[in-house]
């Protein structure tokens, strides 16, 4: 899918004036009281493991308005808090995905995962096809980077259609997903296995995380518009159920 520049202002105005990176609720049923209790306890545990002290857990949508009432999670610029709306989720896996999306968008994987992220990058670099490892080494040499930083940039480039299609043909994309799921498991994410995390979701996460390395890159209107465009292109976040995606 493509997003024209003419559409970005309208989408930006409706999506990010008060909050950004909304994950919409498209569920037809609400979790039981017991399920909500489990979700709340799990989010609190993950927030503690990830050293996130700005997580607000909402157990009712009655106090929310507009798009926030139907969102799974959102970030408030005014309060600086990430809000997780428990009743708009269906499972532990669903609420884990919301926390990951919101936290990555505002902090990046390197800050959230610490040494676990370095292990992920090392696993990728040491196990990719020789042709791809050569590209990473060339990138590191060209920009005077270490292999981890070069690997991170290469992974971010997988958000682009051509690069991703080449990776799919080489059959090592599944290894990347497995390495990433392993790191999530080590951090306490219980259900990021199998098909829980789609290809496009991981592509967005890797791209968005790398964007956080560039100081202030997503603080302005153009940066936020670029983020919305990438979510739309990959069918993630607010556009999770957009059928017209890559």
């Amino acid at each position: 899918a493509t997003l024209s520049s003419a559409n970005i202002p309208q989408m930006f105005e409706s999506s990010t004036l008060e909050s950004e990176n909304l994950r919409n609720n498209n569920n037809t049923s609400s979790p039981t009281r017991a399920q909500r209790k489990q979700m709340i306890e799990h989010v609190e545990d993950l927030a503690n493991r990830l050293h996130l002290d700005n997580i607000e857990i909402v157990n009712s949508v009655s106090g929310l308005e507009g798009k926030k009432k139907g969102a799974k999670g959102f970030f408030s610029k005014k309060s600086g808090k990430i809000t997780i709306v428990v009743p708009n989720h269906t499972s532990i896996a669903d609420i884990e995905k919301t926390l990951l999306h919101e936290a990555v968008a505002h902090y990046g994987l390197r800050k959230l995962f610490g040494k676990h992220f370095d292990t992920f990058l090392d696993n990728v670099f040491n196990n990719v096809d020789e042709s791809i490892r050569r590209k990473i080494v060339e990138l590191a040499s060209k920009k005077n980077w270490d292999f981890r930083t070069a690997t991170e940039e290469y992974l971010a480039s997988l958000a682009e259609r051509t690069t991703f299609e080449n990776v799919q043909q080489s059959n090592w994309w599944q290894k990347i997903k497995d390495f990433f799921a392993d790191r999530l498991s080590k951090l306490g994410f219980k259900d990021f296995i199998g098909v829980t995390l789609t290809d496009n979701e991981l592509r967005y996460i890797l791209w968005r995380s790398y964007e956080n390395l560039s100081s202030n890159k997503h603080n302005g209107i153009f940066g936020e518009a670029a983020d919305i465009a990438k979510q739309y292109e990959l069918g993630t976040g607010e556009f999770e159920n957009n059928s017209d995606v890559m």
Side-chain angles (χ1 to χ4, degrees):
T2 58
L3 181 62
S4 69
S5 59
N7 291 334
I8 289 179
Q10 180 180 353
M11 295 167 62
F12 176 78
E13 181 179 357
S14 64
S15 301
T16 63
L17 286 179
E18 295 185 3
S19 58
E20 54 184 307
N21 207 38
L22 284 160
R23 283 198 73 230
N24 281 346
N25 171 32
N26 295 287
N27 304 325
T28 56
S29 61
S30 297
T32 65
R33 180 177 299 180
Q35 288 174 323
R36 292 189 190 190
K37 183 176 183 294
Q38 289 180 336
M39 289 186 213
I40 291 172
E41 291 175 350
H42 189 53
V43 169
E44 289 175 341
D45 178 59
L46 282 177
N48 182 58
R49 288 171 179 263
L50 296 172
H51 307 291
L52 296 174
D53 58 2
N54 65 332
I55 302 296
E56 179 182 42
I57 301 173
V58 175
N59 199 24
S60 171
V61 299
S62 60
L64 302 176
E65 298 179 352
K67 296 181 71 174
K68 292 181 180 180
K69 196 163 190 170
K72 295 183 177 184
F74 54 87
F75 175 79
S76 170
K77 296 177 183 177
K78 183 179 295 186
S79 67
K81 292 183 178 180
I82 293 173
T83 298
I84 306 296
V85 187
V86 176
N88 288 343
H89 294 82
T90 59
S91 64
I92 292 290
D94 193 24
I95 207 165
E96 283 184 339
K97 187 183 297 184
T98 297
L99 179 61
L100 182 63
H101 273 251
E102 296 295 338
V104 167
H106 301 287
Y107 299 106
L109 290 170
R110 185 173 293 281
K111 181 176 180 179
L112 286 177
F113 288 10
K115 64 181 181 180
H116 290 281
F117 190 55
D118 286 339
T119 301
F120 166 66
L121 294 174
D122 291 343
N123 285 338
V124 170
F125 179 78
N126 292 327
N127 290 278
V128 294
D129 291 349
E130 182 60 34
S131 60
I132 295 175
R133 187 182 297 109
R134 191 178 305 117
K135 291 179 181 178
I136 295 173
V137 171
E138 291 173 352
L139 184 62
S141 177
K142 179 181 179 180
K143 298 196 175 184
N144 195 29
W145 287 343
D146 58 41
F147 291 148
R148 285 173 177 168
T149 302
T151 300
E152 188 172 0
E153 179 171 280
Y154 183 81
L155 290 173
S157 74
L158 296 178
E160 304 304 323
R161 179 192 295 268
T162 302
T163 307
F164 181 65
E165 288 177 346
N166 291 337
V167 168
Q168 279 186 309
Q169 292 173 5
S170 69
N171 296 319
W172 68 272
W173 172 246
Q174 186 59 46
K175 288 185 179 179
I176 293 178
K177 292 184 70 176
D178 291 342
F179 291 145
F180 191 76
D182 179 66
R183 291 301 96 190
L184 288 175
S185 177
K186 293 291 192 299
L187 284 165
F189 287 82
K190 297 180 178 179
D191 291 314
F192 266 86
I193 57 176
V195 297
T196 300
L197 192 66
T198 69
D199 289 348
N200 281 359
E201 285 169 341
L202 181 53
R203 290 166 70 193
Y204 171 77
I205 286 170
L206 294 171
W207 173 83
R208 189 63 177 85
S209 176
Y210 184 74
E211 293 297 289
N212 278 284
L213 287 179
S214 300
S215 179
N216 298 321
K217 192 166 186 178
H218 273 79
N219 286 348
I221 184 172
F222 293 109
E224 292 181 8
D227 186 69
I228 292 171
K230 185 60 68 176
Q231 288 184 52
Y232 178 84
E233 178 185 343
L234 296 176
T236 62
E238 184 175 354
F239 309 101
E240 187 171 350
N241 288 308
N242 179 14
S243 60
D244 184 24
V245 298
M246 292 166 56

